Amino acid sequence: MTDISGYRAVWLLVMFDLPVDDADARKRYTKFRTELLKDGFLMLQFSVYGRFCPSEEASDVHRKKVRRAVPEFGEVRIIHVTDRQFAKMEVLRGKRPAPPEEAPPLLLLM
């Protein structure tokens, strides 16, 4: 968990269901997915991406980027959860438990 001097760290989760039924739709899907990766999102599952944000303000910046990248068709959902809530996520790989992704280390300048 990450908590630095009053900032509330959050994870921004993007879940999407986009059409891929023709070549143009696949291009839009690929472009959206590429934009998420360029903005520092990690693929958590197919069509579920997450990005750690050190504060809610940073989360707002990345939400706006996602909104701008959303293609014309399909459905995209954006959720933000606190780092503490994200750390409580139960991850199962097959029948074996696995830890959720960890927040990247933060550089703290004083």
Side-chain angles (χ1 to χ4, degrees), residues 50-100:
R51 186 189 198 294
F52 178 79
C53 297
S55 68
E56 290 189 37
E57 292 79 12
S59 171
D60 290 341
V61 168
H62 296 286
R63 276 182 200 231
K64 288 177 185 171
K65 288 181 180 182
V66 171
R67 284 188 202 114
R68 283 193 301 264
V70 171
E72 183 179 355
F73 302 105
E75 185 173 306
V76 176
R77 294 174 186 236
I78 304 170
I79 301 173
H80 95 233
V81 297
T82 66
D83 189 39
R84 180 171 290 175
Q85 291 167 325
F86 188 87
K88 291 181 180 181
M89 181 185 338
E90 186 174 357
V91 179
L92 301 171
R93 292 198 176 104
K95 295 218 178 254
R96 296 192 175 131

Side-chain angles (χ1 to χ4, degrees), residues 13-20 28-29 32 36 46-49 66 69-79:
L13 303 175
V14 175
M15 303 175 291
F16 55 93
D17 187 10
L18 302 177
V20 290
R28 289 189 296 271
Y29 170 90
F32 180 68
L36 291 176
F46 294 123
S47 300
V48 179
Y49 286 69
V66 171
V70 171
E72 183 179 355
F73 302 105
E75 185 173 306
V76 176
R77 294 174 186 236
I78 304 170
I79 301 173

